[in-house]
Amino acid sequence: MSYPISGSLYYMDKSFDRERIGRELDAQRAAGFDLVWVNGPLFRLADLKLRAASDEQAAFDPIACLMEEAHHRRMTVMLEIMAGEDWYERWDLPADLETSYELISLIGEKYGQHPSFFGYYLGNEIYIVHGAQREYCKTLWTNLARCCKQATPGCKVALSPFFVTDIAEVLGYTYEKPEAYANFWESMLTGTDIDILMLQDSGAEHASCFPLDDREPYFAAVARACSATGVELWGNVELAEITVSNYEELKAFRSDFGVNGVGFHDPRWVQVPLSKLRDKAGLAERYCSRLVSWGFQQFVSPLSGKSGAEAYYEQFQTWNTSRIAK
């Protein structure tokens, strides 16, 4: 069965006004999306507290605006909960639990009752970890998912993990075989209130040289874990990739500037060719009940400013909307 990519991760900061939000949601809706899940600095605790303390009549709230504009377009919204961008450098469970509880309370009270609200996205993206790091993730996710359900009954709670295929560990990630992912995620999801796992289809790499055949065993493994625990598996079908021939080239690309190189406008960052995107979607469909994505806002939207985006958007729009059941 074929079905469309139905939404994409959306980054927001204080520069977003109603006009921009409306134009970007229009581009998403016209491309066949009906879900937007949102992250960015607007979801940091200090910023949320500031807005909560402000005069609601006087202050423009981009998140509230997004919820309203999404509702007008028959779209739903999932909002991020993450204690800090550097959580994986600190692994400070007590501090991150405390901050996350505050985030859930503020977001749930201010936005959770809006008709467009779909649920919470726990933004800790991870692969397989062990020992104290595993205990951090299990305890954090278990408690936060429970807190989300208490704050907003009926909401959904989602994670978007990745997998690592770099057997030689060129990029520095610890490699594990696919079967380990089945065991890890069954253990991590058991006994939690997590509803959805949105598996990133490009692993940790975003590399154009990364073949589809290498990805399928990971989808199969995580699908087994989700089936065993009653969790929905969605496919996070990424729309952009880095043009490199191997992991050594990718490591060099990242070495001086971090994971994104010099930024998304680096010419080595490109839209995934549509023929390859069809294959990626086909792979995810074999295991997943819904498709979402990353990269639309930065690479595909005609508002992105990325080279080639306008022409690619037209092709993507035609392909994706043709997959919507009439």
Side-chain angles (χ1 to χ4, degrees), residues 21 181 203 211:
I21 291 168
Y181 284 79

Side-chain angles (χ1 to χ4, degrees), residues 40-56:
L42 293 177
F43 297 92
R44 303 291 79 85
L45 184 57
D47 198 87
L48 285 165
K49 283 183 173 179
L50 185 63
R51 287 201 303 280
S54 67
D55 181 349
E56 293 189 5

